């Protein structure tokens, strides 16, 4: 990080900076991409273009609108906002399609802010956070098990989420590198326990091209508060998912369309009133 960035605070996050970071991470990431056949490219790219042609005909799109589209597409690229835009508006259908036959815990979108290799905290640990980390303390634990209910020791639970202002470390300035990001390894009983704080709702950066189309259409830019998770165990299919909070704002109007009724937590106050606690068990399908 540059010295200049170090002097900024998280509320100085700008779409172009967040987008550039998300684009850089995506480029560095190991892609699942197998070679795609010419037949498949022709079928999928051809159908996507045909769908666009239908929209143009159906809505009598003008040259002014066509030029506005070109200008907007150029801007999304210049600000590095493709990961943000695609993960908000498209990824949920990919997730639904890819996982439609998989058993076990429901998945949800990964989003643009996953960073691999977060600090491992064992079976029970506190996510890296600032001394004065704002937000309600949250104890979140559970068991990772296979579909027949056998607990899975040595499973990995990766957890990452926004802070109490709705910002993610490594994508908003001024936050410690691994703030509110960590990995757990389940113990002999398949159990893990994470100590963290409740995240706030997340607003898509709204000063860039993605924000411009949201504003121009009169939509809102919010996602409900959520935890991101990746749960993996040898011999099982990895689950990428999110968990939400009962009664949370925007649960029914998530801009990323990524909520599911099975993924809603209902934390309760801890006996000593020091925060809230909740359990959630993950079930992994065999690979
Ligand atoms: C985006 C951000 C998120 O935190 C998320 O879960 C999904 C999408 C985004 O800004 O694109
Ligand atoms: Fe998120």
């Amino acid at each position: 990080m540059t010295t200049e960035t170090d002097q900024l605070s998280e509320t100085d996050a700008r779409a172009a900076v967040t987008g550039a970071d998300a684009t850089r991470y995506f480029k560095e990431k190991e892609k699942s991409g197998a070679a795609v056949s010419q037949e498949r490219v022709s079928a999928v790219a051809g159908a996507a273009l045909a769908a666009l042609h239908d929209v143009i005909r159906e809505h009598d799109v003008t040259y002014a609108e066509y030029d506005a589209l070109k200008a907007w597409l150029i801007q999304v690229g210049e600000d590095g906002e493709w990961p943000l835009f695609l993960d908000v508006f498209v990824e949920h259908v990919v997730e639904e399609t890819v996982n439609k036959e998989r058993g076990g815990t429901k998945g949800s979108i990964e989003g643009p802010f996953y960073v691999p290799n977060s600090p491992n905290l064992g079976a029970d640990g506190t996510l890296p956070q600032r001394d004065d980390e704002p937000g309600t303390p949250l104890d979140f634990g559970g068991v990772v098990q296979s579909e027949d209910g056998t607990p899975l020791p040595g499973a990995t639970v990766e957890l990452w989420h926004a802070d109490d202002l709705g910002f993610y470390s490594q994508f908003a300035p001024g936050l410690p590198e691994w703030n509110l990001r960590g990995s757990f390894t389940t113990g002999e009983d398949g159990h893990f326990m994470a100590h963290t704080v409740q995240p706030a709702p997340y607003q898509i950066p709204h000063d860039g091209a993605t924000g411009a189309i949201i504003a121009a259409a009169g939509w809102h830019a919010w996602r409900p508060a959520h935890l991101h998770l990746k749960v993996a165990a040898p011999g099982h299919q990895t689950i990428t998912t999110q968990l939400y909070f009962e009664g949370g704002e925007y649960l029914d109007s998530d801009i990323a369309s990524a909520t599911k009724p099975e993924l809603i937590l209902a934390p309760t106050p801890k006996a000593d009133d020091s925060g809230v606690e909740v359990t959630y068990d993950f079930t992994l399908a065999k690979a």
Side-chain angles (χ1 to χ4, degrees):
M1 267 199 186
T2 64
T3 318
E4 192 187 329
T5 313
D6 285 344
Q7 288 159 359
L8 297 173
S9 80
E10 55 186 315
T11 52
D12 294 314
R14 294 291 170 265
V17 176
T18 308
D21 283 340
T23 297
R24 184 167 46 79
Y25 272 105
F26 180 76
K27 284 181 168 174
E28 284 169 8
K29 157 176 146 166
E30 198 181 313
K31 310 291 191 303
S32 38
V36 179
S37 71
Q38 186 184 56
E39 192 182 20
R40 176 79 174 160
V41 174
S42 179
V44 175
L49 289 167
L52 180 59
H53 301 159
D54 283 348
V55 170
I56 294 166
R57 290 190 192 100
E58 194 183 324
H59 294 274
D60 285 315
V61 168
T62 65
Y63 260 104
E65 289 165 340
Y66 179 58
D67 282 344
L69 171 66
K70 274 195 216 171
W72 179 81
L73 289 168
I74 290 166
Q75 195 62 48
V76 176
E78 284 180 358
D79 287 348
E81 277 204 87
W82 280 118
L84 276 65
F85 178 82
L86 289 169
D87 292 352
V88 165
F89 290 111
V90 181
E91 188 187 352
H92 70 98
V93 187
V94 180
E95 190 282 319
E96 168 195 311
T97 303
V98 166
N99 291 328
K100 65 181 172 227
E101 268 154 25
R102 199 202 58 209
T105 301
K106 294 281 180 200
S108 185
I109 64 173
E110 179 173 306
F113 301 146
Y114 169 66
V115 182
N117 308 315
S118 60
N120 189 282
L121 306 166
D124 181 331
T126 302
L127 285 194
Q129 53 191 268
R130 294 161 286 182
D131 290 342
D132 54 352
E133 190 65 44
T136 305
L138 167 69
D139 287 351
F140 163 68
V143 169
V144 181
Q145 61 195 12
S146 63
E147 277 193 287
D148 64 7
T150 312
L152 295 170
T156 305
V157 177
E158 291 177 88
L159 174 63
W160 72 102
H161 64 83
D163 67 11
D164 188 54
L165 291 176
F167 291 100
Y168 285 86
S169 60
Q170 302 193 36
F171 297 91
L175 291 168
E177 186 177 21
W178 294 105
N179 214 55
L180 304 178
R181 296 175 180 273
S183 311
F184 299 84
T185 305
T186 57
E188 282 310 310
D189 52 0
H191 197 265
F192 73 95
M193 170 58 76
H195 305 274
T196 184
V197 295
Q198 275 197 279
Y202 166 83
Q203 188 174 23
I204 306 302
H206 48 282
D207 63 321
T210 304
I213 196 156
I214 290 170
W219 304 331
H220 74 66
W222 289 91
R223 300 210 59 222
H226 55 279
L227 304 174
H228 286 272
L229 294 127
K230 259 186 204 291
V231 184
H236 293 76
Q237 297 182 50
T238 299
I239 290 178
T240 300
T241 194
Q242 299 189 27
L243 293 170
Y244 303 89
F245 296 91
E246 194 176 74
E249 240 183 315
Y250 313 112
L251 265 183
D252 298 324
S253 63
D254 179 7
I255 186 73
S257 311
T259 63
K260 295 182 185 178
E262 299 88 343
L263 299 176
I264 298 177
L265 301 172
T268 53
K270 287 174 60 171
D272 65 2
D273 228 27
S274 64
V276 296
E277 62 187 357
V278 70
T279 62
Y280 193 89
D281 295 337
F282 296 91
T283 303
L284 302 189
K286 288 253 153 58

